[in-house]
Amino acid sequence: MKTTMHVSEDMEKRRTAKKHKITFACDENTCRSPMAKVVLENLMMQKGIQDVEVDSVALERPGSATDARAREAIKERYGNDLLKDLVPKLIDVESLGRLVLVMTKAQKEKLVTKLGKQADETLVLTVSQIILPTMERGQRDDFGRDITDPYDGSLDDYRDCLSMLERYISESQGRILKIARGGLYAGSSPKERPKACPICRSSRVVPVGYGLPTRVGLAEHEWYSMIGRDPPYEFGGCVVGLPGQPNWHCSNCRHEWATEHMANHKHKKKETGKGV
Protein backbone atom coordinates (compact mmCIF):
# COMPACT_ATOMS: atom_id res chain seq x y z
CA MET A 1 0.00 0.00 0.00
CA LYS A 2 2.81 2.35 0.84
CA THR A 3 4.42 1.81 -2.58
CA THR A 4 1.14 2.43 -4.39
CA MET A 5 0.59 5.72 -2.56
CA HIS A 6 4.11 6.76 -3.52
CA VAL A 7 3.31 6.10 -7.20
CA SER A 8 0.14 8.18 -6.96
CA GLU A 9 1.86 11.07 -5.16
CA ASP A 10 4.74 11.07 -7.62
CA MET A 11 2.36 11.20 -10.59
CA GLU A 12 0.54 14.15 -9.04
CA LYS A 13 3.83 15.95 -8.45
CA ARG A 14 4.79 15.55 -12.12
CA ARG A 15 1.45 16.94 -13.27
CA THR A 16 2.13 20.23 -11.50
CA ALA A 17 5.59 20.97 -12.93
CA LYS A 18 6.45 19.97 -16.50
CA LYS A 19 8.20 21.24 -19.57
CA HIS A 20 7.45 18.64 -22.26
CA LYS A 21 4.34 16.69 -23.20
CA ILE A 22 3.28 13.30 -24.54
CA THR A 23 -0.35 12.61 -25.39
CA PHE A 24 -2.00 9.20 -25.74
CA ALA A 25 -5.26 9.20 -27.68
CA CYS A 26 -8.01 6.72 -28.49
CA ASP A 27 -11.64 6.99 -29.59
CA GLU A 28 -13.38 7.84 -26.30
CA ASN A 29 -10.53 8.11 -23.76
CA THR A 30 -12.07 5.42 -21.57
CA CYS A 31 -9.64 2.49 -21.68
CA ARG A 32 -6.64 2.26 -24.05
CA SER A 33 -5.24 5.78 -23.78
CA PRO A 34 -5.79 6.05 -19.98
CA MET A 35 -4.04 2.69 -19.47
CA ALA A 36 -1.15 3.79 -21.70
CA LYS A 37 -0.85 6.98 -19.67
CA VAL A 38 -0.52 4.99 -16.43
CA VAL A 39 2.07 2.65 -17.97
CA LEU A 40 4.38 5.47 -19.06
CA GLU A 41 3.90 7.48 -15.88
CA ASN A 42 4.85 4.44 -13.82
CA LEU A 43 8.01 3.88 -15.88
CA MET A 44 8.92 7.56 -15.48
CA MET A 45 8.33 7.38 -11.74
CA GLN A 46 10.73 4.45 -11.46
CA LYS A 47 13.46 6.56 -13.09
CA GLY A 48 12.62 9.79 -11.26
CA ILE A 49 11.64 11.64 -14.46
CA GLN A 50 9.58 14.74 -13.70
CA ASP A 51 10.07 17.08 -16.67
CA VAL A 52 7.59 15.36 -19.01
CA GLU A 53 3.80 15.55 -18.81
CA VAL A 54 1.72 12.55 -19.91
CA ASP A 55 -1.86 13.16 -21.00
CA SER A 56 -4.67 11.05 -22.47
CA VAL A 57 -7.54 12.30 -24.64
CA ALA A 58 -10.45 11.26 -26.84
CA LEU A 59 -10.29 11.69 -30.61
CA GLU A 60 -14.07 11.60 -30.91
CA ARG A 61 -16.83 12.07 -28.36
CA PRO A 62 -15.40 11.39 -24.86
CA GLY A 63 -16.99 8.62 -22.82
CA SER A 64 -18.84 9.41 -19.62
CA ALA A 65 -16.30 7.65 -17.39
CA THR A 66 -13.22 5.44 -17.50
CA ASP A 67 -14.18 1.84 -18.22
CA ALA A 68 -14.50 -0.25 -15.03
CA ARG A 69 -12.60 -3.14 -16.63
CA ALA A 70 -9.67 -0.86 -17.48
CA ARG A 71 -9.63 0.36 -13.90
CA GLU A 72 -9.66 -3.22 -12.62
CA ALA A 73 -6.80 -4.26 -14.94
CA ILE A 74 -4.72 -1.31 -13.77
CA LYS A 75 -5.54 -2.01 -10.12
CA GLU A 76 -4.48 -5.63 -10.48
CA ARG A 77 -1.17 -4.68 -12.09
CA TYR A 78 -0.17 -1.61 -10.07
CA GLY A 79 -1.91 -2.22 -6.75
CA ASN A 80 -4.12 0.87 -6.83
CA ASP A 81 -7.02 2.30 -8.82
CA LEU A 82 -4.92 4.92 -10.58
CA LEU A 83 -7.74 5.73 -13.04
CA LYS A 84 -10.48 6.49 -10.53
CA ASP A 85 -10.10 10.28 -10.86
CA LEU A 86 -9.56 10.40 -14.63
CA VAL A 87 -12.36 12.15 -16.51
CA PRO A 88 -12.44 11.44 -20.28
CA LYS A 89 -11.86 14.57 -22.33
CA LEU A 90 -11.74 15.63 -25.97
CA ILE A 91 -8.43 16.38 -27.66
CA ASP A 92 -7.34 20.03 -27.74
CA VAL A 93 -5.03 20.42 -30.72
CA GLU A 94 -3.74 23.74 -29.39
CA SER A 95 -2.30 22.11 -26.26
CA LEU A 96 -0.47 19.20 -27.88
CA GLY A 97 3.25 18.69 -27.45
CA ARG A 98 5.74 17.16 -29.90
CA LEU A 99 4.32 13.62 -29.77
CA VAL A 100 0.85 12.06 -29.93
CA LEU A 101 0.54 8.27 -29.73
CA VAL A 102 -2.72 6.78 -31.01
CA MET A 103 -3.86 3.16 -31.08
CA THR A 104 -4.64 2.40 -34.74
CA LYS A 105 -3.53 3.45 -38.21
CA ALA A 106 -7.03 4.77 -38.95
CA GLN A 107 -6.86 7.05 -35.90
CA LYS A 108 -3.47 8.32 -37.03
CA GLU A 109 -4.74 9.19 -40.51
CA LYS A 110 -7.73 11.08 -39.10
CA LEU A 111 -5.65 13.06 -36.61
CA VAL A 112 -2.93 13.96 -39.12
CA THR A 113 -5.65 15.27 -41.45
CA LYS A 114 -7.21 17.26 -38.61
CA LEU A 115 -3.89 18.80 -37.58
CA GLY A 116 -3.00 19.93 -41.09
CA LYS A 117 0.25 21.91 -41.10
CA GLN A 118 0.57 21.42 -37.35
CA ALA A 119 1.43 17.77 -38.10
CA ASP A 120 4.86 19.02 -39.24
CA GLU A 121 5.62 19.97 -35.63
CA THR A 122 3.54 17.39 -33.76
CA LEU A 123 4.59 13.83 -34.60
CA VAL A 124 1.61 11.45 -34.69
CA LEU A 125 2.31 7.71 -34.49
CA THR A 126 0.54 4.58 -33.41
CA VAL A 127 1.94 3.13 -30.18
CA SER A 128 3.47 0.25 -32.15
CA GLN A 129 5.20 2.59 -34.63
CA ILE A 130 7.48 3.97 -31.94
CA ILE A 131 9.52 0.74 -31.78
CA LEU A 132 12.69 0.27 -33.80
CA PRO A 133 12.13 -2.28 -36.60
CA THR A 134 15.10 -4.48 -35.65
CA MET A 135 15.09 -8.02 -37.02
CA GLU A 136 16.84 -9.58 -34.03
CA ARG A 137 14.04 -8.49 -31.70
CA GLY A 138 11.36 -10.00 -33.90
CA GLN A 139 9.60 -6.66 -34.25
CA ARG A 140 9.03 -6.51 -38.00
CA ASP A 141 5.54 -7.96 -37.67
CA ASP A 142 4.81 -5.82 -34.60
CA PHE A 143 5.66 -2.51 -36.28
CA GLY A 144 2.46 -0.61 -37.05
CA ARG A 145 0.22 -3.23 -35.46
CA ASP A 146 -3.13 -1.84 -34.27
CA ILE A 147 -4.06 -2.01 -30.60
CA THR A 148 -7.74 -2.82 -30.95
CA ASP A 149 -10.48 -1.64 -28.61
CA PRO A 150 -11.25 -4.29 -25.94
CA TYR A 151 -14.64 -2.70 -25.19
CA ASP A 152 -16.70 -5.67 -26.43
CA GLY A 153 -14.52 -8.18 -24.62
CA SER A 154 -14.00 -9.50 -21.10
CA LEU A 155 -11.65 -8.43 -18.33
CA ASP A 156 -9.08 -10.82 -19.82
CA ASP A 157 -9.17 -8.79 -23.05
CA TYR A 158 -8.40 -5.64 -21.05
CA ARG A 159 -5.52 -7.44 -19.33
CA ASP A 160 -4.16 -8.47 -22.73
CA CYS A 161 -4.50 -4.91 -24.01
CA LEU A 162 -2.63 -3.58 -21.00
CA SER A 163 0.13 -6.16 -21.48
CA MET A 164 0.54 -5.11 -25.12
CA LEU A 165 0.73 -1.43 -24.15
CA GLU A 166 3.32 -2.26 -21.48
CA ARG A 167 5.47 -4.16 -23.97
CA TYR A 168 5.49 -1.44 -26.62
CA ILE A 169 5.91 1.46 -24.21
CA SER A 170 8.60 -0.13 -22.02
CA GLU A 171 10.58 -1.13 -25.12
CA SER A 172 10.40 2.41 -26.52
CA GLN A 173 10.31 4.65 -23.44
CA GLY A 174 13.70 6.20 -24.22
CA ARG A 175 12.66 7.15 -27.75
CA ILE A 176 9.29 8.45 -26.54
CA LEU A 177 10.96 10.78 -24.05
CA LYS A 178 13.59 11.94 -26.56
CA ILE A 179 10.90 12.95 -29.04
CA ALA A 180 8.91 14.73 -26.34
CA ARG A 181 12.02 16.70 -25.34
CA GLY A 182 12.87 17.55 -28.95
CA GLY A 183 16.07 15.54 -29.08
CA LEU A 184 15.24 12.83 -31.59
CA TYR A 185 13.33 14.61 -34.31
CA ALA A 186 12.28 18.19 -33.57
CA GLY A 187 15.16 20.60 -33.28
CA SER A 188 17.82 17.96 -33.90
CA SER A 189 19.66 19.75 -36.72
CA PRO A 190 22.87 21.70 -35.98
CA LYS A 191 22.65 25.48 -35.62
CA GLU A 192 24.79 25.98 -38.73
CA ARG A 193 22.36 24.03 -40.94
CA PRO A 194 21.79 25.79 -44.29
CA LYS A 195 18.34 27.32 -44.64
CA ALA A 196 17.78 25.79 -48.07
CA CYS A 197 19.21 23.42 -50.65
CA PRO A 198 21.22 25.37 -53.29
CA ILE A 199 19.58 23.35 -56.09
CA CYS A 200 15.87 22.98 -55.29
CA ARG A 201 15.64 25.55 -52.45
CA SER A 202 13.95 23.02 -50.16
CA SER A 203 14.43 23.45 -46.41
CA ARG A 204 14.68 19.66 -45.92
CA VAL A 205 18.42 19.79 -45.31
CA VAL A 206 20.17 17.37 -42.93
CA PRO A 207 23.84 16.77 -42.07
CA VAL A 208 25.83 13.92 -43.61
CA GLY A 209 27.52 11.56 -41.16
CA TYR A 210 30.51 9.33 -41.82
CA GLY A 211 31.85 6.22 -40.15
CA LEU A 212 30.68 2.65 -39.60
CA PRO A 213 27.01 2.76 -38.51
CA THR A 214 25.79 0.55 -35.71
CA ARG A 215 22.95 -1.92 -36.19
CA VAL A 216 20.72 0.26 -34.04
CA GLY A 217 21.78 3.32 -36.03
CA LEU A 218 20.75 1.65 -39.28
CA ALA A 219 17.42 0.58 -37.78
CA GLU A 220 16.78 4.10 -36.52
CA HIS A 221 17.56 5.56 -39.94
CA GLU A 222 15.10 3.13 -41.53
CA TRP A 223 12.52 3.95 -38.85
CA TYR A 224 12.25 7.55 -40.03
CA SER A 225 11.45 6.38 -43.57
CA MET A 226 8.85 3.92 -42.25
CA ILE A 227 6.98 6.68 -40.41
CA GLY A 228 7.21 9.07 -43.36
CA ARG A 229 9.70 11.55 -41.89
CA ASP A 230 13.13 12.72 -43.02
CA PRO A 231 15.96 11.23 -40.95
CA PRO A 232 17.88 13.84 -38.91
CA TYR A 233 21.07 12.79 -40.72
CA GLU A 234 22.17 10.92 -43.85
CA PHE A 235 24.81 8.19 -44.03
CA GLY A 236 27.72 9.31 -46.19
CA GLY A 237 29.86 6.18 -46.04
CA CYS A 238 32.34 4.43 -43.79
CA VAL A 239 35.45 6.40 -44.82
CA VAL A 240 36.06 9.56 -42.78
CA GLY A 241 38.04 12.64 -43.80
CA LEU A 242 38.29 12.36 -47.59
CA PRO A 243 38.80 15.67 -49.44
CA GLY A 244 35.60 17.13 -50.82
CA GLN A 245 33.25 14.97 -48.78
CA PRO A 246 29.80 16.61 -48.63
CA ASN A 247 28.47 17.49 -45.20
CA TRP A 248 24.89 18.43 -46.17
CA HIS A 249 22.15 16.39 -47.80
CA CYS A 250 18.81 17.51 -49.29
CA SER A 251 16.05 15.02 -48.53
CA ASN A 252 13.94 16.55 -51.30
CA CYS A 253 16.19 16.34 -54.38
CA ARG A 254 19.01 14.17 -52.88
CA HIS A 255 21.67 16.78 -53.70
CA GLU A 256 24.72 16.73 -51.42
CA TRP A 257 27.33 19.45 -50.96
CA ALA A 258 30.08 20.73 -48.71
CA THR A 259 29.89 24.18 -47.16
CA GLU A 260 32.88 26.47 -47.54
CA HIS A 261 33.56 26.31 -43.81
CA MET A 262 33.75 22.51 -43.81
CA ALA A 263 35.89 22.43 -46.97
CA ASN A 264 38.39 24.82 -45.37
CA HIS A 265 38.27 22.84 -42.14
CA LYS A 266 39.14 19.56 -43.91
CA HIS A 267 41.84 21.22 -46.00
CA LYS A 268 43.45 22.78 -42.91
CA LYS A 269 43.23 19.49 -41.01
CA LYS A 270 44.99 17.66 -43.85
CA GLU A 271 47.80 20.20 -43.91
CA THR A 272 48.44 20.53 -40.18
CA GLY A 273 46.87 17.41 -38.72
CA LYS A 274 44.63 19.64 -36.57
CA GLY A 275 41.19 21.10 -37.00
CA VAL A 276 40.60 24.82 -37.05
Side-chain angles (χ1 to χ4, degrees), residues 93-122:
V93 296
E94 299 298 327
S95 66
L96 296 176
R98 293 187 179 96
L99 178 62
V100 180
L101 292 172
V102 297
M103 304 298 145
T104 67
K105 293 183 285 293
Q107 290 173 348
K108 175 185 174 181
E109 292 173 2
K110 288 181 180 178
L111 182 54
V112 169
T113 300
K114 182 175 183 178
L115 291 177
K117 291 184 178 180
Q118 186 180 336
D120 293 336
E121 299 178 0
T122 298

Side-chain angles (χ1 to χ4, degrees), residues 2 10 57 94 138-139 143 165 201 210 223 229-230 265:
K2 184 177 180 180
D10 190 87
V57 298
E94 299 298 327
Q139 293 175 334
F143 186 87
L165 288 168
R201 308 310 300 170
Y210 295 91
W223 176 77
R229 293 271 181 151
D230 295 334
H265 175 84

Side-chain angles (χ1 to χ4, degrees), residues 146-204:
D146 285 351
I147 298 178
T148 56
D149 193 347
Y151 181 78
D152 292 326
S154 64
L155 177 57
D156 283 339
D157 293 307
Y158 280 76
R159 292 176 180 133
D160 291 342
C161 182
L162 176 58
S163 295
M164 185 178 295
L165 288 168
E166 287 177 327
R167 181 162 64 89
Y168 286 136
I169 295 171
S170 62
E171 172 70 26
S172 310
Q173 59 181 299
R175 298 171 60 72
I176 292 172
L177 295 172
K178 281 184 179 179
I179 295 174
R181 291 169 174 150
L184 190 63
Y185 180 78
S188 59
S189 297
K191 292 182 179 179
E192 64 271 17
R193 180 176 67 89
K195 293 182 178 180
C197 169
I199 301 300
C200 70
R201 308 310 300 170
S202 169
S203 61
R204 296 168 57 193

